[in-house]
Amino acid sequence: MIEEGRHDEANTKPRVKERNPPATARAAGRRSMKDCFFLTMKDCFARPIASAPDAWFDMVERDWNDGEKVIDRTTKRRRCLNLGSYNYLGFGSFDEYCTPRVIESLKKFSASTCSSRVDAGTTSVHVELEECVAKYVGKHSAIVFGMGYATNSFIIPVLIGKGGLIISDSLNHSSIINGARGSGANIRIFQHNSIYSMEREICKLPEIVSICKRYKAYVYLDKAHSIGAIGNTGRGVCELLGVNTADVDIMMGTFSKSFASCGGYIAGSKFHFLCFCRSYPIFEAPLPGSSLRNINFNSFRTQIISAIRVILGEDGSNRGAQKLARIRENSNYFRSELRNMGFKVLGDVDSPVMPIMLYHPAKIPAFSRECLRENVAIAVVGFPATPLMLGRARICISASHSKQDLIKALEVISKVGDLTGVKYFPAAPKKQEEEKDTIKLV
């Protein structure tokens, strides 16, 4: 487009006004917006803790002035109710069955193999873990990885390449997005109906499986948050929705949520597929500068195996069944009470993660800071992880939370919701609340 009007004497050519700024300028603008957004609420993220992430934990207090780039840690500790950790089944602290076995594993195998399985070999714990995971999820074989994010981003390019077609949920996790982009395959996005996304909504898996059978497509199911947390025996969305695991070609999951460890897994029905995956040594390489995330730490593998045994009752107790019942009861009770208070809460029944919509960016730091002032620690999410006007607080419920913990959290969140103006619906009448069936908490 030609800009009309002024011409320089030295150059009589008319000035050309660009319709769109260059890509580099747009990218710089996005970075600037992101930096400005982050700097106004930097104290709300990456808060350090100084204890195990149990129902309550010790948070390190910090000194920070609005807009400064550096946050100084202090020697003070604040005891907070933990509503921000993916400690679904409460294995994140000392466990009477898991912890002694992890310690024994450290004595027997040392801390780590210090390299990938291609270089340092496979231990008996590797084999035991993969057999345990395959049996647990209902598949023929499984392979474990050192990082949950990398499980998706690395394995998808192995499964599909140029000429292939990936049909992906519009709100899929960034690990799936990066894996799909790295594959070189054609990507088509469909409107959000996520299997288990930022919204904590569970997809219509039976219908998806039916469509895939009709068109001879493969189903790749990410169970990162559902495995161990939902279903009668914690086997995730397949169990919850009654889908035969044989109808899901590839299952992915992580160990950092329900099992209090690290890493991820891929499980499938065809052994040659898993052998093909093992031929790529990058999948088992240690992470530079972050060796604590390497699944070659035998203690981490032992933690996963022990947690699965507790869930299945193979430890000789019914603690696993109690944990699964508790997480369902706690989650459904908490979600119901939040909605009765007038909050906009996303997610489905039985989900232990419930986003409370805050919407306006200014409400994100206000909500977070006021909850912390009352010794309740929550996680908040904003741009660029979500669209600018879809900020939210993400509440994570655990089986380790007691009834008293939940009541305190609800009191604080209700108070802060009134203060920040994020109760977007009228509260349920008291009479209606009393008549409505409630979940009894032990």
Side-chain angles (χ1 to χ4, degrees), residues 149-414:
Y149 189 101
T151 304
N152 274 329
S153 61
F154 285 172
I155 199 67
I156 292 175
V158 174
L159 299 176
I160 191 170
K162 291 183 178 180
L165 173 64
I166 297 175
I167 302 176
S168 180
D169 191 308
S170 61
L171 294 184
N172 266 338
H173 191 268
S174 61
S175 61
I176 299 176
I177 295 172
N178 288 336
R181 289 174 177 171
S183 70
N186 295 316
I187 303 171
R188 295 293 180 268
I189 307 299
F190 65 89
Q191 190 64 31
H192 167 62
N193 185 18
S194 181
I195 287 173
Y196 213 73
S197 70
M198 180 72 76
E199 316 297 330
R200 297 307 134 213
E201 296 169 354
I202 301 170
C203 78
K204 298 177 180 179
L205 187 58
E207 290 83 351
I208 291 175
V209 168
S210 177
I211 292 173
C212 289
K213 284 183 176 180
R214 182 188 308 171
Y215 294 100
K216 295 181 173 57
Y218 293 100
V219 181
Y220 183 102
L221 178 63
D222 184 335
K223 300 169 67 176
H225 286 272
S226 71
I227 190 66
I230 63 175
N232 290 333
T233 59
R235 286 179 166 88
V237 292
C238 289
E239 183 176 50
L240 180 69
L241 301 178
V243 175
N244 190 336
T245 56
D247 293 331
V248 178
D249 301 284
I250 304 163
M251 291 183 179
M252 177 271 176
T254 62
F255 302 124
S256 56
K257 281 79 176 177
S258 298
F259 307 104
S261 188
C262 73
Y265 68 86
I266 290 288
S269 299
K270 297 181 180 179
F271 183 74
H272 68 266
F273 149 71
L274 295 167
C275 291
F276 176 64
C277 291
R278 285 193 177 98
S279 67
Y280 285 76
I282 189 174
F283 295 141
E284 278 298 328
L287 302 180
S290 183
S291 61
L292 286 177
R293 286 194 157 199
N294 181 7
I295 201 66
N296 285 322
F297 272 76
N298 293 288
S299 56
F300 290 170
R301 297 196 295 269
T302 303
Q303 167 66 29
I304 300 164
I305 295 169
S306 301
I308 292 176
R309 285 176 177 168
V310 172
I311 294 171
L312 297 177
E314 295 177 0
D315 64 328
S317 74
N318 64 343
R319 289 195 306 121
Q322 290 176 351
K323 285 177 177 289
L324 290 166
R326 169 72 71 173
I327 187 62
R328 285 193 295 271
E329 293 168 359
N330 284 358
S331 300
N332 292 331
Y333 166 76
F334 205 84
R335 179 182 292 100
S336 175
E337 291 300 305
L338 287 175
R339 286 176 173 165
N340 287 339
M341 291 174 182
F343 289 103
K344 171 66 174 178
V345 183
L346 303 182
D348 288 326
V349 173
D350 287 352
S351 172
V353 179
M354 47 207 75
I356 300 176
M357 297 306 297
L358 307 178
Y359 294 108
H360 197 285
K363 296 184 182 292
I364 297 174
F367 195 89
S368 175
R369 291 164 185 162
E370 290 302 321
C371 284
L372 185 60
R373 199 186 307 275
E374 299 289 338
N375 296 324
V376 173
I378 63 169
V380 289
V381 187
F383 179 84
T386 67
L388 184 62
M389 296 302 293
L390 291 180
R392 63 199 67 187
R394 297 182 74 207
I395 305 299
C396 299
I397 299 299
S398 171
S400 62
H401 286 131
S402 66
K403 181 179 180 181
Q404 290 71 29
D405 293 336
L406 300 181
I407 291 173
K408 172 181 171 56
L410 289 166
E411 291 174 349
V412 170
I413 291 174
S414 179

